[in-house]
Amino acid sequence: MGSGLVGACAPTETVDDIDLTALRAKYRQERDKRLRDGQAQYIVTEGDFAKYYESDPHMPVLPRDPVSADAEVVVLGGGFAGLIAGARLKQAGVEDVRIIELGGDFGGTWYWNRYPGIQCDNDALCYMPLLEEVNYIPSKRYADGAEIYEHSQRIGRHFGLYDGALFHTLIRALNWDEDIRRWRISTNRGDDIRARFVIMASGPFNRPKLPGIPGIERFKGHMFHTARWDYDYTGGDATGGLHKLADKKVAIIGTGATAIQAVPYLGKDAQHLTVFQRTPSIVDARNNRPTDYEWARTLKPGWQKERQHNFHDWAFELIPGLGQQDQVCDIWTEISRNLVAEVAAMPEAPSIEQLVAMREREDYKVMERRRRRIEDVVRDKAAAEALKPYYRYQCKRPCSNDDYLDTFNRPNVTLVDVSDSKGVEAITERGIVAGGREYEVDCIILASGFEISSDLNRRFGIDEIRGVDGVSLYDHWAEGYRTLHGMSTTGFPNQFFTGFIQGGVGGNTTLMLQQQVEHIAYIIGEAVKRGATRVETSQQGQEGWVRTIRETSFDMTDSLRECTPGYQNNEGEEKVRSLLGDPFGPGFYVFDQLLADWRAKGDLDGLTLSN
Ligand code: NDP
C-alpha cells in the first residue's frame, strides 16, 4: 500500500436509499435561505477594527528604527508561499531576498492561528512544504498547528531567510518608481525599501474578516477573532486547559473549519458555550494517527512530489488514473475512491457525461452518509437535524473531528441555528440576539473567517499598489484578472503574483505554490543573468494568455451558484467569482508542462526585458 500509514484503502460504505430529486431541491432551498448581501456583510479590519488584524497577542511588537534600503527581491508575506519563494530564489542563486511579514515570525496563517485544537486538516506529508529539502517528517497524519509553525521556522533557518527579514511590519503602499526601476515599499514602521523585484505572497488567510452584525461595536464584554486568540483571557494554550473560562459564558459565531476544531475545547472548559451556526460544516471521523517512522525511512527521493501529485489526482481530478493507489486515503479522496470502484465494476468505460453524473450521485451518497452519522452521535434530535449540512461536498471546506459533534451532548453547550435570519441578528452591550432572544455572554469569539475571495484591496490589506504611470492594480484588475500565466501583468513591471489567479489549479495548494514560485524564480534568475533591470509582461503576451484562459476555461458558475454562500463562491454574489480565480481549463499538469516548455524555449516569450 502506497501510504504505509494505512491498511488497504477501500471504498467506503455509503447509502443507496437516497432521493436525488428531493435532495437537490433541499440543497437549493438551504442555499436560497442564506443568500444575502455578499461580501458587504463583513467588516473590513481597518479603522476601529484594525486591531483584529494588526495587533499581535503572541509576541510583543518591539520598537525599531525605520529601514531605508535597496533590495534585489522583496517577498511580501512570510507564510508558505513566501517561504517557498524565498527557498527557490536562494536555490536559483539570488542571495538578496528580503521577506516582509506582519507576524512576529515566519508561518503566516500558522503564526497567527493558535486557537485551541489547531491542526491541519490535510495530510501533513503533502501539505507541509519542502519536507525532503529540510529532511523532516511530520509526527502525525494531521499535524498540530505548533508543528507546522515550527516547520516554517525550520525552512526560514535552512534557507537563510531570516537574514534581512522584517517582521511585525505591515505594507502600506507599493509604488513603481520608473526613475530607479524599482518598487518603493512603504510600511507602518516608516520603512522605505526599494525593491528590484517584488513577489506577492500574502496568501488567502492573510486577513481576518468580521461579521457586520448590527451593534458589534457596542459589546461591553470581551471579544476576539480566532486568528488572534487571547490566551490571557481564556487561559491555557493550543492544547487546551482554558481554565479562565470556568466561570464565563462564551459565545462563538461561526462553524467553519476553525470553529470545528476550537469548539470541543471551549465546550469542555467554559461554564457555558453557545454556538451560533448559520451553515453547518461537514464533520467526519478524524482518523488521525502517529507517523510510522519505519515506513517513512523507506521513502525514496522525490516521494513528496509524487504523493502531492497522487493527492491532486484523487482529490481533484474527475477520475484518477485507474490502477493507481490512493496514497492519502482520507475524506478528501473518498468520492474518487468510491467512483473508481464503481467504474472498475462496469463492463465498459463510462463516457465523460456518465462520469460527471456518477460523481454527482456519489457526492450525494457520501454527504448522506455523513448526515446520518450525526444522528448516531448527537442525542438531541433538533440539534442533530440542525447540524446536518445540505450542500455538495466541495461547497464548504470538508472537516474531520472526533469531538465536535459529541460536544453538543454536553449540558453546558447550546447550539443556536441562525440560518433563518441569515446570521446573528444583533449584538448588544450584554450579548447576542438571535431568534428574537438575547443571549447574555461574557465573551464573544468570532470564528468568522478571512478575506479569502473578496475584492483584492480587502484581501491584500495594502492601501495602494501603483504601477507604471500611477495606475492602481485594484483598478487594473477591477473587471477581472489580466495576466501572463497568472503571475505577472502589463504595467506592473518586476512584480509577480502567487495563488489562485489565472493558472492551472492544483488540488494541493503547496504543490501549486511550488510550481508558481519555481517559475517566478526562473524569470528573476534569467533577468539578473541577462543584466535586465526591468521585466514587464507585454500587451501581446497578456492578451494571448487571457485569450487562452477564456478559450479553455471551464464554467464553474452553475455548480458554484448552487452552493450555499461562502468564500468558495464569493458569498453567492450575483457575479460569482470562484475562490480558484480564473483557472486554466486543461488543469494543473497541462499548465505545468506549458510552463516547462516556455522555460525550455528560453526566449521569455510574452515578457519584455530592458535595462
Ligand atoms: P469560514 O469562512 O470557513 O467560516 C466562517 C463562519 O462564520 C461560517 O460558519 C459563517 O457562516 C459564519 N458567519 C459569518 N458571518 C456570520 C453571521 N453574521 N452570523 C452567523 N455566522 C456567521 O472561516 P474559518 O476560519 O472557519 O475557516 C477558513 C478557512 O481556513 C477554512 O475553510 C480552511 O480553508 C482554513 N482552515 C484550514 C484548516 C486546516 O486544517 N488546514 C483549519 C482551519 C481553517 P456561513 O458558512 O453561513 O457563511
Side-chain angles (χ1 to χ4, degrees), residues 272-283:
H272 194 91
L273 172 69
T274 311
V275 179
F276 291 88
Q277 170 194 274
R278 185 166 64 187
T279 312
S281 277
I282 298 162
V283 187

Side-chain angles (χ1 to χ4, degrees), residues 92-110:
V94 183
E95 267 312 309
D96 184 13
V97 180
R98 202 182 258 267
I99 296 184
I100 303 184
E101 164 58 46
L102 177 61
D105 205 328
F106 291 129
T109 200
W110 299 103

Side-chain angles (χ1 to χ4, degrees), residues 312-320 332-340 342-343 352-366 392-394:
H312 169 83
D313 292 347
W314 283 84
F316 205 72
E317 294 292 320
L318 179 61
I319 181 103
W332 294 88
T333 59
E334 179 182 5
I335 291 179
S336 289
R337 208 152 62 236
N338 295 356
L339 192 62
V340 164
E342 243 187 278
V343 170
I352 297 286
E353 290 72 25
Q354 276 173 308
L355 269 179
V356 170
M358 286 165 70
R359 182 169 265 282
E360 184 191 6
R361 190 173 160 76
E362 197 53 54
D363 189 316
Y364 278 88
K365 283 164 59 178
V366 166
R392 283 190 67 175
Y393 173 62
Q394 290 281 11

Side-chain angles (χ1 to χ4, degrees), residues 221-254:
H222 197 64
M223 184 157 70
F224 59 87
H225 189 277
T226 46
R228 303 288 184 275
W229 195 274
D230 186 352
Y231 283 108
D232 283 346
Y233 181 84
T234 64
D237 57 28
T239 63
L242 312 174
H243 60 95
K244 292 187 183 172
L245 296 183
D247 59 351
K248 300 280 190 296
K249 291 194 202 66
V250 177
I252 185 163
I253 297 177

